[in-house]
Amino acid sequence: MTTELVKNIDWIGHVDWSVRDFHSFDTFRGATYNSYLIRDTKTAVIDAVKGLYAQHLLQHIAEKTEPAKVDYVVCNHAEPDHAGGLATLMANLPNAVLLCNAKCRESLAAYFDIGNWKIQVVSPEDKISLGNRTLNFVNTPMVHWPESMFTYIPEEQLLFSMDAFGQHLATSERFDDQYNLETILTEAKSYYANIITPYSKQVLRTLEVAAKIPIKMIAPSHGLIWRTNVSKIVEAYQNWAGGNYAPKVLILFDSMWDSTTQMAEAILDGAAQESDKVDVQLLHVRRTTLTRIATEMLDAAAVALGSATLNLQIMPQMASVITYLRGLKFTSKSAIAFGSYGWAHAGSDQLDRWIEETGWTRLTKPIDAKFRPTPEILEHCRNAGQLLAKAALDVGN
Ligand code: FEO
């Protein structure tokens, strides 16, 4: 089914209700690959879909126009969840010229045999007239890949924003005012945390460019289209990219025989007792997805990382967590490390080193407990929780 955004501009993408893994992103609500069709004097398709669903996209195009009438296919981003369907599309749209920037052409040449494709490289100076509408292009490097760009139609004040402002959310609705806004924003936050965070500096530059153009509607490549809450999602991006943290303490831990659990809970008690203005969250990393952990990390001002020692290492799932978090480059947090050990301690030391290497502020030395935490060590943990809460309040207010 297609959906009209404005007269003669339609959503023609694919809703992937069943996808549950997107290169390790836990897409428990499914996903969409959004594609759009503009019918004017000339006809253009904005972005394709995952290769597996290219035939669905062709069917949607055929419902609206003859394939031979498509003049342009715009590729805003070469990642295969969008560009994967291009080979099928270009083979079935005999008169289409692919519009992309120079970097994107390089990427497409590495993915596909583009020898038979008609390609026109575009830059921000180029304007492609479709008749009553014009395609404008804004390069947005690293949001999400080097070749990423936005396409903008000034006559409609309509921005095709590719991954930016997207959400992994399968729905039969297409617009932000047709679905629960809190859920959309939660999924947009999760998407930002897990996909966009490493490129926050580039996001801030992109938002500066976007602020100079009037925008009535943002049509991303994933999830719902923003037409009623444009300012809300732009403001959310400003906060996430700007590192505007909440007064929130996040405690991540893994335990063997519950000693590190007891320490984590003592830290939680100390933080919660310090102030009811602080949101304190405790996540057992072996029972929580990496996707949720990164989402909670995005706006946490203060963090406690705890692990028991296993074979002179941190617990394996905690190792996975800190590897994932390192790549996402969360910056400027206050933190402590803690953990129990048996005959040789290593877990809390390794986490403490990770905190230092990541450039976060260490609030105390690592807290250790041999086999079981004593009442004194649990009191130490409560005090550390208070320190974390104070740090979170300082940053989050
Ligand atoms: Fe939705 Fe970066 O691809």
Side-chain angles (χ1 to χ4, degrees), residues 22 77 79 81-82 144 163 191 222:
F22 184 93
H77 182 20
E79 194 165 8
D81 52 325
H82 311 291
H144 159 226
D163 283 344
Y191 193 91
H222 297 290

Side-chain angles (χ1 to χ4, degrees), residues 101-157:
N101 64 29
K103 271 251 175 277
C104 189
R105 190 183 193 288
E106 279 175 31
S107 303
L108 294 177
Y111 272 119
F112 304 102
D113 176 0
I114 61 171
N116 290 328
W117 298 9
K118 296 183 277 291
I119 297 183
Q120 182 177 341
V121 169
V122 291
S123 66
E125 293 74 42
D126 294 319
K127 319 275 179 227
I128 303 288
S129 174
L130 301 179
N132 292 319
R133 279 84 167 241
T134 317
L135 301 178
N136 289 239
F137 310 99
V138 181
N139 286 333
T140 59
M142 299 316 296
V143 187
H144 159 226
W145 277 11
E147 81 297 339
S148 297
M149 72 175 189
F150 291 170
T151 297
Y152 176 65
I153 300 184
E155 294 84 358
E156 303 289 355
Q157 300 184 4

Side-chain angles (χ1 to χ4, degrees), residues 292-343:
R292 167 93 193 278
I293 288 169
T295 305
E296 295 298 344
M297 183 64 75
L298 178 63
D299 58 356
V303 178
L305 297 175
S307 177
T309 297
L310 176 67
N311 300 329
L312 274 178
Q313 303 293 327
I314 54 175
M315 300 281 285
Q317 188 56 25
M318 184 56 86
S320 171
V321 167
I322 61 174
T323 299
Y324 189 56
L325 294 178
R326 187 192 294 283
L328 291 174
K329 297 196 177 110
F330 294 104
T331 56
S332 309
K333 297 184 189 288
S334 299
I336 63 158
F338 65 99
S340 66
Y341 65 98
W343 46 97

